[in-house]
Amino acid sequence: MQVVRELDVVKEIIRDLKNKGMTVGFVPTMGFLHEGHLSLVRTAKSENDFVVISIFVNPLQFGVGEDFERYPRDLERDRELADSAGCDLIFVPAAKDMYPPGYATFVDVDRLTEGLCGASRPGHFRGVTTVVAKLFNLVSPHKAYFGQKDAQQALVLKKMVQDLNMDLDLFILPTVREADGLAMSSRNKYLNSGEREEAPVLYKSLLLARELVARGERDPLIIGKNMEDLICSARGAVVDYLEIVDTEELKPLKSIKGRCLVAVAVKFGTTRLIDNIFVEV
Ligand code: AMP
């Protein structure tokens, strides 16, 4: 497995592979890999000849006062995990190469980015779509893999690929969870032991929503109130948002119908966790 930092080198390697008729799968990440990332890599490996992971903590997608500086970074650890999952190349660009002085081009997806994490983190998705568009141009994969854990991000990127006629297929794979239901995330590392104990309440609240719907409840306000009560019973938990939206436009629903996305963001101290599930009637 190679580790490549230079932008033109990665382009050249991929060009050569494609000239030989090989297919390329791509998993963009911010590193500090866990089983959620590795599940994407394994699927990519099963569907492509060559798999690239990018590791880039993208300054553009972090707001002022967010965790850009303290975001966990450990390339040695990532290298071993990526290798064990079948990755062929880790691309680790430097911020100064991705955004050299005078950099001026950004990608924005309208509407889908307004609610949920877009409302709590202004400018976040502009950073995500810009960096992923750049990474797609550098790696030019046949297939790219993203996690359902970041449901809004995955939908926004799908829209970008569609609207900009990008020549690749984008796949969204299921959320990988810890044994107690907590969605795996590099940010879980920030949690102290008390917070870690309480953190599964996000998933519990989503399961509660599913159970209420199964019992016939169709009012998002009532479901939301039950979820909120449960989350607030966890020590230190502060709800950032809690929404039931449609799966295409991500607009809040007035009543539960068809396939819906239940999404939550909860803060424990300075750590913000997100999770979601689908419910269907
Ligand atoms: P990140 O490094 O957090 O930017 O995540 C990189 C990719 O891994 C994104 O497509 C995420 O949605 C995906 N991912 C993160 N956590 C999980 C998880 N628990 N299960 C599945 N995919 C995940």
Side-chain angles (χ1 to χ4, degrees):
M1 191 188 63
Q2 314 172 62
V3 177
V4 177
R5 292 172 194 280
E6 301 79 11
L7 278 51
D8 45 356
V9 173
V10 85
K11 277 176 108 166
E12 203 177 300
I13 291 172
I14 303 290
R15 202 180 306 124
D16 286 351
L17 288 166
K18 286 177 133 181
N19 283 339
K20 290 184 194 137
M22 292 173 82
T23 55
V24 177
F26 181 37
V27 180
T29 81
M30 297 204 299
F32 209 69
L33 302 179
H34 51 68
E35 199 49 42
H37 300 117
L38 300 181
S39 71
L40 304 181
V41 176
R42 285 191 203 101
T43 302
K45 189 63 184 175
S46 72
E47 297 181 352
N48 301 273
D49 299 319
F50 193 89
V51 172
V52 178
I53 302 182
S54 62
I55 296 181
F56 182 55
V57 184
N58 174 32
L60 210 59
Q61 71 188 67
F62 288 79
V64 178
E66 289 187 358
D67 55 342
F68 174 70
E69 263 87 27
R70 69 168 181 145
Y71 198 86
R73 294 160 171 92
D74 189 341
L75 185 57
E76 231 4 86
R77 177 182 173 280
D78 286 350
R79 189 204 293 251
E80 278 169 30
L81 289 170
D83 196 20
S84 72
C87 172
D88 297 291
L89 186 153
I90 303 187
F91 177 40
V92 198
K96 66 174 177 27
D97 296 330
M98 290 295 272
Y99 307 116
Y103 185 87
T105 305
F106 302 89
V107 179
D108 248 320
V109 173
D110 275 358
R111 293 193 301 278
L112 273 179
T113 54
E114 281 167 11
L116 305 175
C117 290
S120 311
R121 304 182 68 189
H124 168 67
F125 285 115
R126 183 182 197 239
V128 170
T129 41
T130 299
V131 79
V132 174
K134 284 172 69 68
L135 291 168
F136 283 173
N137 282 334
L138 290 162
V139 177
S140 64
H142 295 91
K143 297 180 177 177
Y145 300 83
F146 294 86
Q148 177 60 31
K149 150 94 183 351
D150 301 277
Q152 187 177 18
Q153 166 175 282
L155 272 187
V156 167
L157 291 172
K158 258 203 149 159
K159 187 75 179 140
M160 174 185 81
V161 166
Q162 186 189 355
D163 285 356
L164 295 182
N165 313 102
M166 292 178 165
D167 195 14
L168 60 96
D169 293 318
L170 192 153
F171 299 91
I172 305 172
L173 303 185
T175 302
V176 178
R177 300 178 180 284
E178 302 285 357
D180 60 7
L182 175 64
M184 290 197 184
S185 165
S186 310
R187 289 191 167 98
N188 292 348
K189 183 180 159 56
Y190 299 146
L191 300 170
N192 65 33
S193 62
E195 291 166 341
R196 175 62 190 82
E197 246 173 64
E198 302 288 348
V201 77
L202 275 82
Y203 187 50
K204 283 184 193 152
S205 75
L206 296 170
L207 293 180
L208 173 62
R210 181 175 279 167
E211 190 188 315
L212 290 170
V213 170
R215 280 201 246 133
E217 184 55 64
R218 297 290 179 265
D219 185 343
L221 291 178
I222 293 177
I223 296 169
K225 176 77 176 80
N226 279 273
M227 291 174 71
E228 192 174 358
D229 288 348
L230 178 62
I231 294 171
C232 293
S233 73
R235 227 172 322 120
V238 177
V239 175
D240 176 15
Y241 68 72
L242 187 166
E243 302 230 30
I244 305 182
V245 297
D246 74 273
T247 56
E248 271 157 37
E249 301 287 326
L250 300 181
K251 292 277 182 227
L253 292 168
K254 292 206 170 65
S255 100
I256 307 290
K257 217 163 107 190
R259 193 168 158 83
C260 316
L261 183 76
V262 190
V264 290
V266 174
K267 275 185 137 184
F268 287 93
T270 52
T271 305
R272 183 176 172 279
L273 303 178
I274 60 172
D275 201 353
N276 66 85
I277 55 169
F278 291 113
V279 294
E280 195 153 8
V281 291

